[in-house]
Amino acid sequence: MIKLKARLIVSILLSLVLVDSVVAQTPQIQNATPSQNTRSGEREIGKSYATLRPEQQRLVDDFVSRYNQATGSRLVPEQSYDKARLSARTTFDAVTHALLNAKITDTTGKNLGHAIDLVEAIDEVMGEEAAVAGDRQFRLYAYLKPKAFDILSSSQEFFRDKDNVTYHKGFPFCFRLKNGPPSIQFSISRDKKLSDIDVDYRSSKFPQALFNGHLTAANSDVRAGNNLGRHDSRWAGLDGWWRDLFAQLGAVAKSPKESATERYGQIPLNPGVKVAEGVDKSAHDFLQTWVVDKQPNKSVAYFSRLSYACLEAISEKLKKNTSPGMVRLRTEMAMREYANGTGNVRSVSDVFVADDEWSQQLKEAKNAFAPEFRLVALPADMANDEECVSVSEDVSGRQSKEKFYATAFREKEAGRRVFLLVWTQERGYWKIVAIRLEDSSDAAIIPHNAAVEVEPVEKEPQKIAPDPTAVKDITQFYQAWILKRDTKQALQFVSQRSYQCLPAPSKDQKKLAPLARIQSGLEQPLNEIPSGGNLSDMMSRVQPVNDLRRPVEQENSNAFAIMAVPDQMADGFLCENQHLREELPELQPAEAKYGTYYLSASQLNFGEEQSPTFLLLWTKEKARWRVVAWVIDTP
């Protein structure tokens, strides 16, 4: 127990995650004096705490102070930063350096400060992380100041991009710095308090985004490829202090691979059970690791950042203050105290039992652990009603047909408190997005929509009978482009209307006709795709989930998806309208008209990596179906 406590106290460091050897060597010290040698020597910005700018030190000091207050520790900011993993320090350094240099003005030219002034506090710093996607590495999670969203909205330097749907789960609002790459990206939560902040070093435009690693962690890792050169070309002063540690020469020296390390409170990045094993297995694992195995740190991994507002509200109700950045740590500490109080138990059912009184009209879902908890499919409108942050009707992307489930259980002893957890999928795992903890006599545990008759089961999108010539032409396009590598033949399926989707030409492309530029764009990723015997070896389907995009059954469904798109939704997808943030009225299924447009979606396979999602909009022109618009869906 003493060893575990010591490791818990020293393993934080701004969430910059210490390596195991550092954890073992770091003593608790009341006060420390910054190294005079470091201060008097050559100033390599970001290499050590002493070389950080005052604004950067403020964020480090603040985080360590809040951690010490939460845990009773006596960590020193300088030691915490200097002993951090290399990738965590380079991430913190690069992102905050870009924020420091990004000036913000309003439309009249009035100075609104710099982007770093929008950051209230650090929640977590993600460096190189094992077993997670690129959009969860090399970034800061931060709390924003109250006016940050409004300032970004009114600034000349940032633009409001299309909302995040596929990536950056829980952070739908997207702002990007203009004239990139490199570009700073703020992905912001619905309550406008939390933000996922990273630097995009790779282009998000066609065709580069298909093969330049934009979907990979290298997109935001300042050490990768020539990212440092790109960074310094826009924000001078980041001198690449880490390169002398690689034992390699040159600006493109490759960083050594970091192994997975423990995180503060030993909370893993991913839960123990994946989506394919079922939401019932995930809910059981959450409870089992909490009260039976006495490892609540593993249970906390099931909490999505969407649940933070709920956790903060519960903490406030219990009169236990949770400062920014300490939500998960405080939750782990509270769950550990609860688990220890239950004593030695042999099963979850010794502590919790299913609450059968909650919302009787909802249909039971498949559940192998029925004695422990009630599991029901939760309609989207009901799930929205339960979410920690109220969901406004104008939030785009809410037509996305996510699947929600709810687990309801009560304490077995005296049946005092009832727990309601709302679950949905998040990057391959079932995660908790809302929590309610109520006394069993409190009627508030009943959802606000409980009296309303609702459809008890989430229906799969209804399939539609397609135009056979559309399926034939779409298939022939992919066969020509990917399988035969005949881009000239593939061009026969490209409409002139799609030319408007092309970005501004580079210097060496200015003399090329639009069709020649598209052909060049189709050719460039082919060198990265290993040859295969069929399309499914070289590309993979992506099925954007939306009940109005009706899936089409076809022979190559493993390689690419085809969906019928309502005529009323197509305008927003066309090239000339993609830059507009038009708020379209919600389309009712009965009003949707099909047959004019189809959407195909796929990712290209590059060995161990995949491209971002490539979406193509098709319609019929002169007896042939052609691509009239495209979108590359990037993080």
Side-chain angles (χ1 to χ4, degrees):
M1 178 63 74
I2 294 175
K3 182 179 179 182
L4 178 62
K5 184 177 180 181
R7 292 168 69 187
L8 172 62
I9 291 176
V10 298
S11 64
I12 185 96
L13 102 164
L14 263 191
S15 254
L16 295 180
V17 191
L18 297 173
V19 293
D20 293 339
S21 60
V22 173
V23 172
Q25 297 171 14
T26 305
Q28 292 186 24
I29 298 177
Q30 180 67 43
N31 296 297
T33 303
S35 169
Q36 296 301 316
N37 292 334
T38 303
R39 287 195 182 279
S40 60
E42 181 179 354
R43 185 176 178 83
E44 295 180 286
I45 303 298
K47 184 175 183 178
S48 65
Y49 174 88
T51 63
L52 293 174
R53 305 277 180 83
E55 297 90 341
Q56 295 170 309
Q57 288 184 343
R58 174 186 69 82
L59 294 175
V60 177
D61 294 348
D62 177 62
F63 189 97
V64 174
S65 174
R66 286 181 282 113
Y67 176 79
N68 287 341
Q69 183 180 13
T71 63
S73 305
R74 294 179 294 174
L75 293 183
V76 177
E78 181 183 31
Q79 293 182 344
S80 296
Y81 183 88
D82 291 352
K83 293 176 181 178
R85 286 188 300 143
L86 178 65
S87 69
R89 278 187 289 152
T90 58
T91 298
F92 178 82
D93 187 17
V95 176
T96 55
H97 181 266
L99 295 173
L100 272 166
N101 286 277
K103 186 177 180 180
I104 302 177
T105 59
D106 65 15
T107 54
T108 67
K110 180 182 177 181
N111 183 13
L112 299 177
H114 292 79
I116 199 166
D117 299 326
L118 305 179
V119 177
E120 179 70 37
I122 296 295
D123 178 59
E124 192 168 13
V125 177
M126 308 291 281
E128 181 178 333
E129 312 296 347
V132 297
D135 64 338
R136 291 180 63 197
Q137 300 185 63
F138 302 104
R139 63 198 57 250
L140 306 184
Y141 288 100
Y143 285 83
L144 299 179
K145 292 183 179 178
K147 297 294 184 181
F149 188 94
D150 295 336
I151 290 173
L152 287 171
S153 299
S154 63
S155 74
Q156 295 188 87
E157 292 76 18
F158 285 86
F159 72 97
R160 174 80 180 274
D161 203 353
K162 64 181 184 297
D163 287 354
N164 299 316
V165 177
T166 305
Y167 307 104
H168 305 285
K169 182 74 173 183
F171 298 86
F173 304 122
C174 177
F175 290 90
R176 296 184 191 270
L177 189 63
K178 295 177 181 177
N179 304 320
S183 173
I184 300 169
Q185 179 182 6
F186 282 87
S187 297
I188 302 176
S189 61
R190 283 199 296 273
D191 61 3
K192 303 175 183 177
K193 293 181 179 179
L194 268 173
S195 182
D196 168 353
I197 310 171
D198 73 321
V199 176
D200 288 333
Y201 292 106
R202 311 295 174 87
S203 173
S204 60
K205 303 296 185 181
F206 174 86
Q208 291 87 348
L210 289 178
F211 60 89
N212 66 3
H214 191 103
L215 192 63
T216 68
N219 175 55
S220 299
D221 182 3
V222 70
R223 306 168 302 166
N226 193 36
N227 287 353
L228 174 60
R230 295 185 178 100
H231 187 106
D232 277 341
S233 68
R234 183 159 197 177
W235 308 294
L238 197 65
D239 55 16
W241 50 265
W242 55 86
R243 287 182 296 175
D244 60 347
L245 304 176
F246 297 166
Q248 297 184 42
L249 299 177
V252 296
K254 186 176 181 180
S255 60
K257 190 74 174 176
E258 292 182 346
S259 59
T261 59
E262 292 181 352
R263 313 187 65 73
Y264 65 87
Q266 300 175 300
I267 299 170
L269 284 173
N270 294 322
V273 177
K274 293 187 175 181
V275 161
E277 299 179 68
V279 64
D280 59 336
K281 181 70 177 296
S282 296
H284 168 73
D285 186 62
F286 169 79
L287 296 174
Q288 174 82 18
T289 55
W290 177 14
V291 297
V292 180
D293 301 338
K294 311 299 183 186
Q295 295 179 310
N297 54 304
K298 295 182 179 180
S299 298
V300 173
Y302 282 100
F303 287 114
S304 163
R305 277 188 164 81
L306 287 169
S307 70
Y308 275 20
C310 285
L311 294 170
E312 290 169 343
I314 291 173
S315 179
E316 184 177 344
K317 183 177 180 179
L318 298 176
K319 298 182 179 179
K320 293 183 178 181
N321 180 47
T322 299
S323 56
M326 296 296 111
V327 173
R328 296 208 306 165
L329 181 61
R330 282 283 196 181
T331 301
E332 192 272 343
M333 293 169 66
M335 291 177 68
R336 185 173 298 280
E337 182 180 356
Y338 184 94
N340 291 338
T342 63
N344 294 325
V345 296
R346 303 178 65 178
S347 68
V348 173
S349 296
D350 290 341
V351 181
F352 298 118
V353 294
D355 183 69
D356 296 326
E357 298 178 6
W358 181 74
S359 200
Q360 291 286 337
Q361 78 275 27
L362 292 178
K363 185 177 180 180
E364 302 286 336
K366 180 182 177 182
N367 183 9
F369 307 94
E372 300 174 5
F373 52 84
R374 184 167 182 237
L375 177 64
V376 297
L378 202 62
D381 59 343
M382 207 167 173
N384 293 342
D385 191 54
E386 294 300 322
E387 284 193 37
C388 310
V389 178
S390 60
V391 180
S392 59
E393 295 181 359
D394 62 346
V395 173
S396 64
R398 296 311 292 173
Q399 289 183 354
S400 176
K401 203 69 171 178
E402 293 180 276
K403 293 194 175 196
F404 294 93
Y405 292 89
T407 51
F409 52 93
R410 66 175 65 240
E411 292 172 309
K412 184 175 182 179
E413 183 179 351
R416 290 174 297 172
R417 287 181 294 184
V418 179
F419 298 76
L420 172 65
L421 308 179
V422 178
W423 301 73
T424 193
Q425 292 186 34
E426 192 171 296
R427 301 313 297 268
Y429 297 89
W430 289 104
K431 291 286 194 79
I432 300 166
V433 295
I435 312 107
R436 295 178 68 190
L437 174 61
E438 302 286 353
D439 184 87
S440 59
S441 63
D442 193 336
I445 192 65
I446 304 300
H448 304 154
N449 292 344
V452 181
E453 287 193 16
V454 293
E455 182 64 38
V457 180
E458 293 284 353
K459 291 183 177 180
E460 293 294 329
Q462 181 181 343
K463 292 181 173 59
I464 196 167
D467 183 323
T469 60
V471 175
K472 178 183 176 182
D473 288 345
I474 294 171
T475 302
Q476 287 183 349
F477 165 78
Y478 286 115
Q479 288 175 336
W481 176 31
I482 304 297
L483 195 61
K484 299 177 182 178
R485 316 224 166 183
D486 186 346
T487 56
K488 186 175 181 180
Q489 182 182 351
L491 290 177
Q492 298 177 19
F493 298 93
V494 176
S495 167
Q496 292 185 13
R497 294 171 63 187
S498 69
Y499 294 176
Q500 295 186 63
C501 287
L502 285 168
S506 58
K507 291 182 179 179
D508 58 344
Q509 289 185 333
K510 286 186 176 180
K511 295 182 180 180
L512 293 179
L515 196 60
R517 290 178 59 199
I518 293 174
Q519 182 174 6
S520 174
L522 294 177
E523 289 173 349
Q524 290 182 56
L526 293 177
N527 293 330
E528 308 291 331
I529 304 173
S531 298
N534 53 62
L535 285 172
S536 60
D537 294 332
M538 296 176 282
M539 59 192 301
S540 306
R541 67 174 283 161
V542 178
Q543 183 75 55
V545 181
N546 186 301
D547 60 342
L548 295 177
R549 294 178 182 175
R550 301 291 175 81
V552 169
E553 292 184 348
Q554 41 98 17
E555 293 181 1
N556 292 280
S557 59
N558 289 332
F560 55 88
I562 300 179
M563 294 150 283
V565 178
D567 297 352
Q568 299 96 319
M569 293 177 62
D571 280 350
F573 201 96
L574 296 175
C575 305
E576 61 268 27
N577 297 329
Q578 288 180 14
H579 68 289
L580 302 176
R581 297 202 66 262
E582 182 180 6
E583 297 293 347
L584 298 175
E586 184 173 352
L587 181 64
Q588 299 300 319
E591 300 171 350
K593 297 180 180 179
Y594 296 91
T596 306
Y597 295 96
Y598 289 92
L599 192 68
S600 63
S602 63
Q603 289 180 302
L604 305 180
N605 297 336
F606 301 141
E608 296 181 356
E609 299 178 1
Q610 286 186 310
S611 75
T613 301
F614 195 26
L615 299 164
L616 305 177
L617 184 68
W618 298 76
T619 195
K620 200 168 188 177
E621 288 184 353
K622 299 180 180 179
R624 170 169 280 177
W625 287 83
R626 290 184 168 87
V627 178
V628 292
W630 68 72
V631 167
I632 299 177
D633 190 6
T634 57

